[in-house]
């Protein structure tokens, strides 16, 4: 199953390719790149409501944009959390005032967002959130800690799942708050250094941070419904672009296997073929679910299980085909200087987290068992 491109879609793809060929540079900073995309109208292609996005594009054209972007080697996006998670959530649940305030700034690449969901005691089990938001005259006072917050060090705003009803448990009494990050003394961001040497994830500490009352999405106490709706937006067009990146990584592993002679080993060849075949299955599954109901039970969990395990196995293959050379970095390093990794080493180390972040494999299997197969629900522990 592949998309068949109509003449107008082919013309759109050529326009995308020409623009990317002209504007993609190796030295583009991520925040400036978002503004470049926004000024050219490439953010918010799928927003059909209210004219808050830039260009309008059909679903097929959105796929064309995402795939050409991935193929072009353009910089990693800093604005994807605002564009692909917050914006659809506001369109589905936000007030007219919230849409008018936040969507144009996201579409212009002028305001960046991070996601305040996971906590030290509430990661995959999101209903265990303890961050509290106490109602005041003009808003809420937010106190608590979030962790694994991607790009918090760059973000202007954070959408925060917090407990607004004292004494509430599990998914009751939660609200979805929009919190400005520029609050010195009230919000502290601490980067988490990973074994790759990078710090894309952060801890975020809220110490009486202020959130305006009109920035509660979906109404007070309805945070769980809004939060679950947002998680449904994490699949879609972006998964196809992700798979283009996966295909390029697989191509590098195949070339390394040929260069080192590892491809002569029939066991290695069989593993490479299996990786290729599984990647095709992922693409067909993404196309099958694309445009379907965001409420389709289990679909996001199936997709996460497929790509997380696949990517982790690819990382293992990347160092396997390199042999002993995989243990040597591309440059000399010492304890006084950050170490460097080549692409294969970075792939191997970073992909160790794939089966944990975004909901662990165990949690995804539980969701499929309960919501798709109808098996008895897993008993939850009682909060102290």
């Amino acid at each position: 199953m592949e998309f068949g491109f109509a003449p107008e879609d082919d013309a759109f793809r050529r326009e995308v390719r020409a623009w990317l060929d002209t504007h993609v540079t190796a030295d583009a900073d991520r925040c400036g790149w978002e503004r470049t995309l926004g000024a050219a109208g490439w953010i918010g292609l799928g927003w059909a409501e209210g004219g808050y996005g830039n260009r309008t594009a059909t679903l097929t054209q959105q796929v064309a944009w995402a795939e050409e972007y991935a193929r072009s080697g353009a910089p990693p996006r800093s604005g994807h959390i605002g564009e692909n998670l917050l914006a659809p959530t506001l369109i589905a649940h936000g007030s007219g005032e919230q849409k008018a305030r936040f969507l144009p700034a996201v579409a212009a690449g002028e305001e960046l967002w991070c996601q305040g969901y996971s906590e030290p005691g509430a990661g995959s089990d999101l209903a265990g959130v303890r961050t509290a938001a106490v109602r005041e005259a003009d808003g809420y006072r937010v106190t608590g800690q979030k962790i694994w917050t991607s790009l918090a060090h760059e973000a202007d705003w954070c959408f925060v799942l917090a407990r607004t009803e004292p004494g509430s448990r599990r998914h009751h009494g939660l609200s979805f708050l929009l919190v400005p990050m520029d609050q010195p003394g009230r919000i502290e961001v601490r980067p988490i250094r990973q074994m790759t040497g990078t710090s894309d994830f952060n801890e975020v500490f809220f110490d009486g941070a202020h959130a305006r009352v009109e920035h509660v999405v979906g109404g007070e106490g309805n945070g769980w419904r809004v939060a679950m709706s947002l998680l449904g937006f994490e699949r879609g067009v972006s998964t196809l672009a992700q798979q283009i990146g996966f295909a390029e990584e697989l191509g590098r592993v195949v070339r390394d296997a040929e260069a080192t002679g590892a491809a002569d080993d029939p066991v290695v060849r069989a593993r490479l073929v299996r990786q290729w075949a599984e990647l095709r299955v992922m693409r067909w599954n993404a196309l099958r679910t694309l445009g379907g109901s965001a409420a389709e039970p289990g679909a996001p969990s199936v997709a996460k299980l497929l790509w997380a395990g696949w990517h982790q196995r690819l990382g293992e293959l990347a160092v396997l085909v390199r042999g002993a050379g995989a243990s040597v970095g591309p440059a000399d390093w010492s304890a006084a200087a950050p170490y460097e990794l080549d692409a294969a080493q970075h792939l191997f180390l970073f992909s160790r987290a794939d089966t944990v972040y975004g909901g662990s494999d165990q949690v995804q299997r539980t969701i499929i068992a309960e919501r798709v197969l109808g098996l008895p629900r897993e008993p939850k522990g009682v909060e102290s």
Side-chain angles (χ1 to χ4, degrees):
M1 177 180 178
E2 302 284 352
F3 270 106
F5 287 96
E8 61 269 23
D9 298 325
D10 280 331
F12 180 84
R13 184 181 287 277
R14 289 193 296 271
E15 180 186 359
V16 168
R17 186 75 250 179
W19 188 88
L20 289 168
D21 287 344
T22 302
H23 289 83
V24 172
T25 60
D27 58 351
D29 72 278
R30 287 169 60 153
C31 294
W33 177 244
E34 290 299 319
R35 293 190 291 273
T36 298
L37 290 172
W42 295 115
I43 299 177
L45 296 179
W47 306 352
E49 180 185 317
Y52 295 116
N54 285 313
R55 303 163 185 257
T56 57
T58 66
L59 182 60
T60 307
Q61 290 170 343
Q62 292 172 50
V63 172
W65 160 255
E67 293 189 339
E68 290 303 323
Y69 188 94
R71 289 191 180 101
S72 72
R77 293 288 307 279
S78 290
H80 67 280
I81 295 175
E83 179 183 9
N84 298 322
L85 297 183
L86 175 77
T89 302
L90 285 182
I91 290 171
H93 302 284
S95 66
E97 291 77 9
Q98 290 168 348
K99 296 173 188 177
R101 164 59 186 86
F102 293 109
L103 294 181
V106 172
E110 293 174 351
E111 289 183 346
L112 303 180
W113 287 79
C114 60
Q115 179 178 7
Y117 273 20
S118 294
E119 299 181 4
S124 296
D125 182 16
L126 189 58
V129 161
R130 294 180 182 270
T131 293
V134 178
R135 182 70 179 268
E136 297 180 324
D138 60 344
Y140 295 85
R141 186 175 71 254
V142 183
T143 303
Q145 178 187 357
K146 298 295 181 178
I147 198 168
W148 310 122
T149 310
S150 300
L151 304 179
H153 57 297
E154 297 180 358
D156 303 294
W157 289 80
C158 182
F159 49 89
V160 178
L161 189 63
R163 201 162 290 281
T164 50
E165 180 184 332
S168 61
R169 296 177 182 270
R170 305 300 299 168
H171 57 276
H172 303 288
L174 297 170
S175 296
F176 190 98
L177 309 176
L178 309 181
V179 181
M181 293 293 286
D182 187 13
Q183 299 192 50
R186 295 182 175 182
I187 297 180
E188 180 184 1
V189 177
R190 298 180 189 173
I192 300 172
R193 190 180 184 195
Q194 300 147 234
M195 58 185 173
T196 56
T198 57
S199 301
D200 293 329
F201 300 123
N202 304 269
E203 294 178 282
V204 181
F205 295 86
F206 299 94
D207 186 8
H210 184 262
R212 295 170 62 178
V213 67
E214 61 266 34
H215 291 167
V216 178
V217 179
E220 184 177 301
N222 293 319
W224 185 256
R225 177 173 62 89
V226 177
M228 292 301 99
S229 174
L230 181 144
L231 291 177
F233 295 125
E234 288 189 308
R235 66 187 176 91
V237 170
S238 60
T239 64
L240 292 167
Q242 178 191 51
Q243 291 161 20
I244 297 296
F246 286 171
E248 293 177 352
E249 289 177 334
L250 176 58
R252 286 197 296 269
V253 173
V254 170
R255 290 191 293 273
D256 281 347
E258 293 172 340
T260 62
D264 296 333
D265 184 334
V267 174
V268 172
R269 286 203 306 274
R271 289 182 62 177
L272 290 170
V273 170
R274 184 179 181 88
Q275 292 289 140
W276 176 87
E278 290 176 348
L279 184 58
R280 299 301 296 174
V281 170
M282 282 193 286
R283 177 173 176 80
W284 292 329
N285 182 66
L287 290 171
R288 180 185 63 82
T289 61
L290 193 63
S293 170
E296 182 182 345
S301 295
V302 170
K304 176 64 166 57
L305 279 173
L306 286 174
W307 74 254
W310 183 93
H311 202 222
Q312 202 169 84
R313 292 190 296 276
L314 183 67
E316 294 166 355
L317 258 179
V319 295
L320 173 67
V321 302
R322 295 271 298 280
S327 63
V328 180
D332 293 335
W333 65 280
S334 68
Y339 56 84
E340 295 183 27
L341 301 173
D342 61 29
Q345 293 164 336
H346 186 276
L347 170 61
F348 171 71
L349 292 176
F350 190 86
S351 64
R352 306 314 299 165
D354 285 344
T355 52
V356 178
Y357 71 79
S360 68
D361 278 10
Q362 292 87 343
V363 168
Q364 305 304 336
R365 291 190 176 98
T366 297
I367 291 172
I368 294 169
E370 294 176 354
R371 301 181 188 177
V372 179
L373 301 180
L375 298 179
R377 296 186 68 84
E378 183 180 68
K380 303 294 184 183
V382 178
E383 282 192 48
S384 59

